[in-house]
Amino acid sequence: MTQVYTIIEQKLSETYTPQHLQVIDESHLHEGHAGAQPGGETHFRVHMVANMFDGMSRIDRQRHVLACLADELKGPVHALALKLKSPQEAAKD
């Protein structure tokens, strides 16, 4: 695991206590694109299921997570794709 990956995973785990959390570094898919850096750790995808999302709109969930990771988004992270669900929504999948 990489340093930025670990920070993202720790912050999300501590803030949301998720039932499911998957952080994927997709930086290798964006080599040569805007924001990509030679060492990677710039493009991430997050799949998370947490009780906190129950009753929240999709936009509010995203805003909440973006605020949680604001420092990373100001620095090393160029792109962050989010798939955020409540446990009830995840059970329907």
Side-chain angles (χ1 to χ4, degrees), residues 5 27 42-43 45 76 78 82 88:
Y5 172 97
S27 301
T42 56
H43 294 71
R45 180 172 301 277
H78 175 73
L82 301 172
Q88 295 79 11

Side-chain angles (χ1 to χ4, degrees), residues 5-81:
Y5 172 97
T6 301
I7 291 168
I8 291 171
E9 189 174 60
Q10 286 176 342
K11 281 188 168 186
L12 294 177
S13 292
E14 291 171 6
T15 302
Y16 298 97
T17 316
Q19 286 80 9
H20 172 76
L21 175 60
Q22 183 180 22
V23 179
I24 305 160
D25 184 348
E26 296 183 336
S27 301
H28 65 284
L29 300 174
H30 301 275
E31 290 177 5
H33 297 167
Q37 299 296 320
E41 296 201 284
T42 56
H43 294 71
F44 289 88
R45 180 172 301 277
V46 171
H47 296 256
M48 183 166 47
V49 176
N51 286 329
M52 185 180 281
F53 298 142
D54 189 34
M56 290 177 76
S57 71
R58 184 176 61 89
I59 292 173
D60 286 340
R61 293 172 190 185
Q62 291 180 355
R63 286 180 180 151
H64 205 280
V65 171
L66 294 176
C68 177
L69 300 176
D71 290 340
E72 290 68 35
L73 290 166
K74 288 179 193 171
V77 177
H78 175 73
L80 182 65

